[in-house]
């Protein structure tokens, strides 16, 4: 594939990027800018006032409950990322190295489950986890005591992992699929055990996929709303619920805008730190490799 | 030797077990919904006493169901067409062209994917309210469609880009050399070769839009699609019409995913004698 | 008739000077090979002929028509690509029929022409419904040739289409190309880095290096009368011995510290045209050298020691280190020598005056 160098006066380039750029400018960048502007206004009697002050930001930074919810969102998201990655690793590995003829069928099953309507799937979980639901029915049938986890943070976490784990499976699968199988064979040949080979060869080489998947899941989980509301019962809201309430229940748009920006900032800062760490580890690896070759 | 065999058994058990477990995990709620859609009782509790199809009729009789279905379909088709077209054009620019500010273009065209959906919806809603005040319109299915396009285009872009990376552009040279004009090259060579990617992008786009809740919820105003219809329904109280609805909405996804696989197999056949 | 005229063509990629003042005429029906190491500009020249690259300066005429600004689709040339570029999504029939369909030829004519090509290329008719990936490498080559020739172009441009094949297949397709050229009579411009292949196939060879044409000539001229040291070394092994030209013209003469014997009275054609006197290289091909034993009757002799010998089937190759200046000389004998030689044996080599060619020493090595 050769890459063609073109000028902005090139018709092909304009027709390839023009419509998308205009769409994104009009409905993504300008709205984002709007949100920033809006966070410097205030409301009175459910009406927006163009006050251009920092009142909303003062409120945001002084309210303890806002930061409690933000902290909860952050920890839930971090936990969700870890669970998604840990679950996805053996699955991606198995898909590539064990499934052979079944690989495509399993992939199709995963894609289908991923693409099915999230609200319905979440509702399905309610039916499963309900006190008188499928899970407890099953537990009673095999003679175990009932458990009641619906409307708890555990249920929220199950829902989040359920809806987000396909992302890490996909990215890690793609990354592992590109590893030269001879490297793994070479490690076996050198006498490494399977676990050790996985730890020293497969895992480091699938880092880009793990990383990409982790970022996607983290960012998406910062914005979850359905799972805490429907499965968590709404008793322990997360950031998205807080934002929704500011807009809908309290009709305080500047507050909603400011909270939105806080969540985006948390996401962006995490991304930046993660990027730094990634750059540092790859730089460290490069130095190590250099020393090895000496 | 024995340790090695034991290790291999253990590894196999973990690997096969994890795939089996994830499939069970993925399909627990889906199968539960399908099963509950055939319950006789109006309560969604286990075990199910007797089966019937009456809730499907109840669902169709619900006055909000058909409009929601129509809206979902309209939204998904619109999004599918536009997001796929924009994504395809964008993918070609990403992979095949080098230009000034390419990095900027890449970042902004990818950013919506990294934006929490509800926040994307909220941010766009603010803007639509301002625009609406000014141009006198209120959020509707069309604002939701714009939201879907913004969010889903990056997915389409990535899927088509994978196909573009594998594209051999000497084939275009060959077509040109054999007398084809630019339009003929596009029609005869470029698009047919990118077609598998474009089609999977379209299927993905359709289904992501079809099942999208967050953006529709924020942006569609009073118009309801199936996901928001279900959400508002279960917020009030669950009823077996929702499992019935779920079962119905799985049908188009099943057909599309099945079709995509059929097509893939057909293409793969061309590579073997 | 001159079909292709390349006049003083210059090509720059940015600041990189890819083609330097290239002039070349190709006759109608000729098989010409462009040869040179990678980066020599042969592919750039081919792309300029095909229309995929514009020339920076100069003129290009094909069939008397200027080709500047004419897109590939409007040129009377067809290209066979290095990686063939068969359309993977079209059947063999549709691949071959493609140029005709684009030219809006009616369906029955297309059918006839495709069938003709299939027969000409010795392809099996049942392949027509298959896809390119279902054919073997050699069959794909034939399809690519068929597709390029089906619409009867006046020039066929071949961009190293045989380079990816294994030796056996390559040989058989080389024969095929030669046969095809004889039957069809179209002008072939064949790019290759393999001078041996060019020798086998071409009527004329154009040797290029670093964007310049070093020599254009028949295979014999290139082999026995190379213009420069570089050309002489491009095919097979050769021996170049330092010498000094003392007289040029009709009865040229040279002298060399290494060589003993009569060095006078060369024909004018045995000295490269550019040489008038001074330091030069004497070239003598390994098969023109023999061991000088007894009443050998050879004009010039060299003394040395056998360093190594190789049996090469019909011939035996000796490598002899010269006593005078430690230079390694290659000797290729048909069969075996009369008196067997072993490693370390002192030997005297000899050759005839008529078998030498004097060429210019390259100013820079390479």
């Amino acid at each position: 594939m050769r890459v063609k160098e073109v000028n902005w006066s090139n018709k092909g380039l304009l027709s390839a990027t023009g419509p998308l750029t205009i769409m994104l400018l009009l409905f993504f960048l300008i709205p984002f800018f709007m949100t920033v502007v809006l966070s410097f206004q205030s409301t009175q009697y459910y009406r927006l006032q163009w006050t251009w002050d920092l009142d909303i930001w003062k409120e945001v930074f002084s309210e303890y409950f806002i930061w409690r919810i933000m902290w909860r969102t952050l920890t839930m998201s971090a936990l969700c990322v870890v669970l998604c990655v840990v679950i996805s690793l053996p699955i991606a590995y198995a898909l590539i190295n064990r499934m052979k003829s079944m690989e495509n069928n399993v992939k199709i099953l995963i894609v289908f489950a991923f693409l099915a309507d999230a609200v319905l799937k979440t509702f399905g979980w309610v039916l499963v986890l309900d006190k008188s639901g499928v899970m407890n029915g099953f537990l009673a049938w095999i003679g175990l005591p009932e458990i009641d986890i619906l409307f708890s943070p555990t249920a929220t976490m199950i829902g989040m992992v359920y809806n987000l784990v396909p992302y890490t499976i996909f990215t890690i699968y793609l990354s592992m699929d590109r590893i030269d199988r001879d490297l793994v064979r070479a490690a076996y040949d050198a006498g490494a055990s399977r676990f050790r080979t996985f730890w020293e060869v497969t895992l480091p080489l699938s880092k880009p996929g793990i990383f990409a998947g982790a970022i996607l899941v983290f960012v998406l989980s910062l914005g979850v709303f359905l799972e805490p509301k429907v499965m968590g019962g709404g008793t322990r809201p997360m950031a998205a619920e807080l934002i929704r309430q500011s807009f809908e229940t309290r009709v305080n748009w500047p507050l909603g805008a400011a909270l939105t920006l806080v969540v985006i900032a948390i996401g962006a800062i995490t991304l930046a730190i993660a990027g730094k760490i990634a750059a540092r580890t790859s730089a460290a690896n490069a130095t190590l490799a250099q020393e090895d070759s000496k | 030797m024995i340790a090695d065999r034991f290790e291999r058994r253990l590894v196999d058990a973990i690997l096969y077990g994890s795939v089996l477990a994830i499939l069970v995990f993925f399909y627990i709620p889906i199968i539960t919904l399908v099963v509950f859609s055939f319950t006789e009782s109006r309560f969604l509790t286990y075990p199910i006493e007797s089966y019937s199809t009456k809730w499907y009729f109840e669902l169709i009789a619900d006055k909000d169901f058909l409009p929601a279905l129509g809206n979902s379909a309209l939204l998904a088709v619109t999004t599918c067409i536009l997001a796929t077209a924009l994504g395809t054009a964008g993918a070609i620019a990403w992979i095949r062209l080098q230009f000034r500010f390419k990095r900027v273009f890449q970042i902004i065209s990818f950013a919506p994917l990294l934006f929490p959906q509800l926040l994307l919806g909220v941010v766009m809603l603010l803007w639509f309210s301002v625009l609406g005040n000014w141009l006198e319109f209120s959020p509707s299915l069309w604002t939701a469609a714009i939201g879907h396009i913004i969010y889903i285009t990056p997915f389409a872009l990535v899927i088509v880009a994978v196909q573009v990376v594998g594209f051999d552009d000497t084939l275009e040279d060959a077509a040109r050399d054999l007398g084809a004009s630019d339009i003929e090259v596009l029609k005869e060579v470029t698009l047919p070769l990118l077609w598998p990617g474009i089609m999977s992008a379209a299927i993905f786009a359709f289904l992501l839009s079809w099942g999208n809740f967050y953006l529709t919820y924020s942006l569609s105003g009073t118009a309801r699609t199936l996901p928001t219809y279900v959400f508002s329904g279960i917020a009030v109280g669950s009823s077996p019409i929702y499992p019935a609805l779920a079962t119905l909405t799985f049908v188009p996804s099943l057909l599309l995913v099945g079709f995509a696989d059929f097509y893939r197999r057909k293409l793969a056949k061309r590579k073997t004698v | 008739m001159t079909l292709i005229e390349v006049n003083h063509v210059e090509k720059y990629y940015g600041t990189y000077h890819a083609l330097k003042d290239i002039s070349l005429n190709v006759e109608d029906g000729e098989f010409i090979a462009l040869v040179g190491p990678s980066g020599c500009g042969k592919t750039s020249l081919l792309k300029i002929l095909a229309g995929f690259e514009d020339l920076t300066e100069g003129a290009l005429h094909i069939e008397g028509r200027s080709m500047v600004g004419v897109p590939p689709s409007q040129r009377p040339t067809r290209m066979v690509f290095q990686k063939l570029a068969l359309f993977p999504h079209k059947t063999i029939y549709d691949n071959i029929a493609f140029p005709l369909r684009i030219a809006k030829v009616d369906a029955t004519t297309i059918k006839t022409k495709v069938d003709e090509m299939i027969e000409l290329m010795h392809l099996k008719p049942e392949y027509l419904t298959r896809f390119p990936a279902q054919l073997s490498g050699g069959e794909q080559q034939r399809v690519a040739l068929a597709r390029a020739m089906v619409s009867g172009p006046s020039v066929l441009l071949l961009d190293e289409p045989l380079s990816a094949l294994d030796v056996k297949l390559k040989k058989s397709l080389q024969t095929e190309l030669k046969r095809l050229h004889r039957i069809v009579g179209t002008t072939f411009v064949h790019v290759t880095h393999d001078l041996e292949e060019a020798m086998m196939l071409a009527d004329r060879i154009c040797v290029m290096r670093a964007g310049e044409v070093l020599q254009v000539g028949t295979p014999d001229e290139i082999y026995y009368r190379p213009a420069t040291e570089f050309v002489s070394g491009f095919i097979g092994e050769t021996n170049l011995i330092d010498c000094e030209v003392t007289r040029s013209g009709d009865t040229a003469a040279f002298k060399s510290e290494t060589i003993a014997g009569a060095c006078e009275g060369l024909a004018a054609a045995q000295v490269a045209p550019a040489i008038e006197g001074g330091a030069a290289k004497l070239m003598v091909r390994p098969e023109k050298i023999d061991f000088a034993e007894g009443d050998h009757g050879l004009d010039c002799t060299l003394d040395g020691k056998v360093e190594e010998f190789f049996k090469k089937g019909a011939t035996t190759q000796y490598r002899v280190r010269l006593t005078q200046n430690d230079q390694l000389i290659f000797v290729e004998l048909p069969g075996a020598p009369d008196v067997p030689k072993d490693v370390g044996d002192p030997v005297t080599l000899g050759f005839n005056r008529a078998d030498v060619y004097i060429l210019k020493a390259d100013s820079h090595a390479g």
Side-chain angles (χ1 to χ4, degrees):
Chain A
M1 184 88 235
R2 42 168 202 265
V3 176
K4 204 169 141 200
E5 186 107 20
V6 288
N7 208 294
W8 272 106
S9 58
N10 180 295
K11 262 189 218 142
L13 177 61
L14 285 179
S15 49
T17 59
L20 183 56
T21 311
I22 292 170
M23 277 291 282
L24 287 164
L25 188 72
L26 273 182
F27 302 114
F28 182 64
L29 293 179
I30 295 181
F32 183 71
F33 175 71
M34 264 289 306
T35 312
V36 176
V37 169
L38 213 60
S39 71
F40 295 104
Q41 319 308 331
S42 59
T43 48
Q44 228 173 1
Y45 309 114
Y46 301 127
R47 288 194 68 94
L48 187 66
Q49 309 285 321
W50 293 87
T51 50
W52 294 102
D53 54 29
L54 290 172
D55 287 359
I56 286 293
W57 286 105
K58 282 180 197 146
E59 187 186 335
V60 166
F61 282 102
S62 54
E63 291 269 19
Y64 171 67
F65 82 95
I66 289 179
W67 293 96
R68 215 180 56 198
I69 289 174
M70 289 293 171
W71 177 245
R72 180 186 299 148
T73 309
L74 201 59
T75 49
M76 290 288 274
S77 300
L79 181 60
C80 179
V81 168
V82 172
L83 288 174
C84 285
V85 169
V86 169
I87 293 172
S88 302
L89 282 170
I91 290 159
Y93 189 84
L95 272 176
I96 289 163
N97 295 304
R98 287 293 189 282
M99 289 298 165
K100 294 184 183 92
S101 58
M102 288 295 287
E103 182 181 334
N104 257 301
N105 298 328
V106 175
K107 274 197 295 201
I108 288 167
L109 284 173
I110 296 176
V111 169
F112 174 73
F114 169 66
L115 288 173
D117 188 329
V119 182
L120 289 170
K121 285 183 296 188
T122 312
F123 177 58
W125 273 112
V126 174
L127 301 183
V128 173
L129 299 180
D130 193 81
K131 207 164 170 4
S132 53
V134 177
M135 188 185 64
N136 280 331
F138 179 73
L139 288 176
W141 184 63
I142 58 171
L144 288 174
E146 285 191 351
I147 43 176
D148 187 10
I149 55 170
L150 188 63
F151 305 139
S152 74
T154 314
T156 307
M157 188 50 70
I158 290 176
M160 284 168 69
V161 170
Y162 181 85
N163 282 324
L164 296 173
V165 78
Y167 289 97
T168 40
I169 294 181
F170 292 146
T171 54
I172 296 174
Y173 170 82
L174 288 176
S175 175
M176 269 190 196
D177 200 28
R178 289 163 81 177
I179 297 174
D180 187 351
R181 315 245 155 129
D182 283 349
L183 290 176
V184 176
R185 279 184 210 119
Y188 285 153
D189 207 42
S193 71
R194 283 172 180 78
F195 287 109
R196 183 142 180 177
T197 304
F198 180 79
W199 188 255
E200 295 204 8
V201 180
T202 312
L203 198 62
L205 289 173
S206 8
K207 253 190 202 158
I210 296 174
F211 207 69
I215 286 174
L216 258 174
V217 167
F218 180 76
V219 173
L220 293 175
S221 61
L222 283 181
V224 294
F225 157 67
L226 205 55
E227 295 85 350
K229 176 110 176 158
V230 176
M231 293 175 72
T235 50
R236 289 164 66 87
M238 286 170 59
E241 175 66 17
L242 187 66
I243 293 170
R244 192 195 64 83
Q245 279 178 10
S246 324
F247 281 106
E248 288 182 7
T249 321
R250 297 173 60 184
V251 201
N252 189 339
W253 286 19
L255 179 66
L259 291 174
T260 303
L261 291 174
V262 168
V263 174
I264 292 169
I266 291 174
I269 291 166
T270 315
L271 276 182
I273 294 171
K276 270 267 159 59
I277 293 170
R280 190 169 304 162
T281 49
S282 63
N285 283 343
T287 342
L288 276 179
Q290 259 176 5
E291 275 163 15
D292 277 356
S293 65
K294 266 176 202 164
Chain B
M1 256 347 261
I2 294 168
D4 182 64
R5 194 179 298 162
F6 173 74
E7 188 194 85
R8 191 153 85 205
R9 290 261 166 82
L10 180 65
V11 170
D12 280 355
I14 292 174
L15 293 177
Y16 287 113
S18 66
V19 172
L20 192 67
I22 199 81
L23 290 178
V24 170
F25 181 57
F26 277 146
Y27 282 89
I28 281 177
I30 292 173
I31 291 168
T32 303
L33 285 168
V34 174
V35 172
F36 271 113
S37 74
F38 293 105
T39 184
E40 168 85 62
S41 154
R42 81 163 316 290
F43 300 104
L44 294 169
T45 53
Y46 188 85
I48 294 166
E49 312 273 311
S50 59
Y51 294 89
S52 87
T53 51
K54 74 173 186 190
W55 295 106
Y56 285 87
F57 296 103
E58 291 271 329
L59 172 70
I60 293 166
D62 189 295
K63 66 174 171 38
D64 292 331
F65 169 68
L66 285 176
L69 179 69
N71 284 342
S72 273
L74 183 62
L75 193 56
V77 168
T78 313
T79 307
C80 166
I81 293 168
L82 291 172
T84 309
L86 290 170
T88 304
I92 290 172
W94 266 57
I95 308 292
R96 302 194 61 179
L97 303 177
Q98 181 60 50
F99 46 92
R100 275 186 79 188
F101 306 120
K102 180 172 173 177
R103 197 90 204 117
V104 177
F105 173 72
Q106 286 182 324
I107 290 169
I108 60 163
S109 58
F110 205 67
L113 192 66
L114 288 173
F115 231 73
Q117 275 187 62
L118 188 83
L119 304 192
L120 186 65
V122 161
V123 163
M124 286 176 74
L125 179 65
L126 293 178
W127 175 235
F128 283 131
S129 311
V130 171
L131 273 186
N133 258 333
W134 184 32
L135 300 172
E136 292 181 1
F137 69 87
S138 51
S140 67
L141 211 54
W142 300 111
T143 49
I146 291 173
H148 282 208
I149 291 166
I150 294 287
Y151 175 64
I152 291 168
T153 300
F155 279 96
L157 193 152
V158 170
I159 294 169
V160 179
V162 171
Q163 195 79 29
V164 180
V165 168
F167 182 77
D168 176 7
D169 50 10
T170 54
L171 294 172
E172 292 180 336
D173 284 350
R176 242 173 239 132
D177 186 67
L178 296 166
S181 65
D182 285 353
I183 298 290
E184 283 164 333
V185 171
L186 191 71
K187 208 180 78 191
E188 295 275 346
V189 178
T190 317
L191 286 182
L193 285 173
L194 295 183
W195 195 238
I198 295 174
M199 213 176 59
S200 5
I203 290 174
F204 241 78
F206 181 89
L207 293 177
L208 280 175
S209 170
W210 177 259
N212 186 283
F213 164 71
Y214 288 96
L215 289 164
T216 315
Y217 177 74
S218 316
L219 293 173
S220 67
T222 53
R224 275 200 191 145
T225 63
L226 293 177
T228 52
Y229 167 73
V230 174
F231 180 76
S232 54
I234 58 177
V236 178
S238 53
S239 147
I241 66 167
Y242 300 113
L245 184 149
T247 309
L248 285 182
T249 61
F250 291 151
V251 173
S253 332
L254 207 57
L255 289 178
L256 281 175
V257 173
F259 172 70
D261 187 55
F262 168 77
Y263 186 71
R264 188 190 58 75
R265 274 169 214 265
K266 202 182 109 189
L267 287 186
K269 248 192 207 155
R270 292 183 182 176
K271 296 209 170 70
T272 50
V273 179
Chain C
M1 190 194 98
T2 306
L3 189 73
I4 305 174
E5 290 168 69
V6 180
N7 275 315
H8 304 291
V9 163
E10 304 272 349
K11 173 71 187 171
Y12 285 88
Y13 294 100
T15 55
Y16 176 65
H17 201 170
L19 293 177
K20 298 166 189 162
D21 192 27
I22 304 284
S23 292
L24 178 69
N25 285 348
V26 181
E27 300 300 313
D28 193 7
E30 199 177 12
F31 195 138
I32 190 163
L34 306 179
V35 193
S38 56
C40 72
K42 56 187 194 295
T43 304
S44 302
L45 182 57
L46 196 76
K47 284 186 171 164
I48 286 175
L49 294 178
F52 293 120
E53 302 278 359
D54 295 325
L55 44 87
T56 315
E57 254 176 72
L60 169 64
H61 289 82
I62 300 179
E63 294 178 327
R65 201 153 60 93
S66 169
M67 287 292 131
V68 175
V70 179
S73 54
Q74 307 300 317
R75 296 189 182 203
T77 56
R78 287 285 184 263
M79 179 119 150
V80 178
F81 289 81
Q82 187 166 17
K83 286 176 189 153
L84 304 183
L86 294 175
F87 303 126
H89 60 298
K90 291 182 188 287
T91 59
I92 300 306
Y93 182 89
D94 288 338
N95 262 285
I96 300 177
F98 184 81
L100 300 174
R101 266 191 38 238
I102 292 292
K104 310 251 180 328
V105 174
D106 65 279
T108 43
T109 319
I110 293 182
K111 176 96 180 61
T112 330
K113 290 216 168 176
V114 172
D115 286 344
E116 277 172 29
M117 287 320 292
I118 284 284
E119 210 185 311
L120 179 66
M121 298 309 310
H122 300 320
L123 282 161
K124 292 184 193 147
E126 64 258 36
Y127 287 171
L128 286 175
T129 51
R130 296 196 188 160
F131 289 91
Q134 296 170 323
L135 265 54
S136 74
E139 289 158 354
Q140 291 181 12
Q141 295 277 348
R142 289 159 198 269
V143 175
L145 281 165
R147 186 180 68 176
M149 296 206 302
V150 73
S151 55
S154 50
V155 184
L156 195 68
L157 306 169
L158 300 119
D159 183 13
E160 305 207 35
L162 306 181
S163 63
L165 299 175
D166 64 69
V167 180
K168 213 175 145 200
L169 199 53
K170 198 168 179 169
K171 287 271 181 277
S172 91
L173 278 155
Q174 282 167 346
T175 320
E176 192 77 353
L177 270 181
K178 187 114 182 170
R179 178 184 71 92
L180 212 58
H181 178 250
R182 218 184 289 288
I183 297 174
V184 190
T186 308
T187 308
F188 280 32
V189 180
H190 184 96
V191 160
T192 176
H193 60 267
D194 180 357
L195 190 59
E196 209 172 319
E197 181 176 301
M199 290 266 173
M200 268 183 77
L201 299 175
D203 300 326
R204 277 199 307 153
I205 296 170
C206 168
V207 184
M208 298 177 69
R209 187 178 64 160
E212 284 174 295
V213 171
L214 298 178
Q215 187 174 12
V216 183
T218 64
D220 278 347
E221 283 169 351
I222 301 284
Y223 190 72
Y224 290 110
R225 294 204 290 280
T228 69
E229 215 178 300
F230 175 78
V231 178
S232 78
F234 205 65
I235 178 166
E237 281 130 340
T238 192
N239 299 299
L240 294 169
I241 303 165
D242 287 326
C243 71
E244 194 183 330
V245 176
T246 50
R247 197 168 65 236
S248 60
D250 261 351
T251 50
F254 66 90
K255 64 176 187 189
S256 167
E257 289 177 5
T258 334
I259 304 166
C263 305
E264 306 255 326
L266 298 179
Q270 277 180 275
V271 181
I275 297 178
E276 288 176 359
K281 293 271 184 184
L282 176 140
M283 183 192 88
V284 53
R285 290 281 175 188
E287 65 273 20
K288 300 290 183 190
I289 305 182
D290 200 352
F291 290 116
E293 287 162 333
D295 185 15
H296 54 77
L298 297 165
D299 297 338
C300 309
T301 55
L302 307 152
D303 290 323
K305 249 184 201 168
V306 175
E307 183 158 300
E308 193 54 271
F309 64 91
F310 305 92
K311 296 282 180 190
K312 291 171 90 179
T315 64
T316 311
Q317 189 190 67
Y318 283 85
R319 295 188 176 175
V320 175
R321 186 70 71 183
L322 293 188
T323 332
Q324 195 80 24
N325 63 351
D326 266 1
Q327 192 184 350
L328 202 57
I329 296 289
F330 295 93
V331 181
E332 192 116 6
L333 294 182
D338 303 334
V339 184
K341 302 282 184 297
D342 207 346
V343 174
D345 289 355
V347 289
T348 304
L349 303 172
F351 53 86
N352 279 316
R353 214 163 44 210
D355 293 329
V356 306
Y357 185 69
I358 294 186
L359 50 99
K360 240 176 103 174
D362 281 2
S363 48
H364 48 91

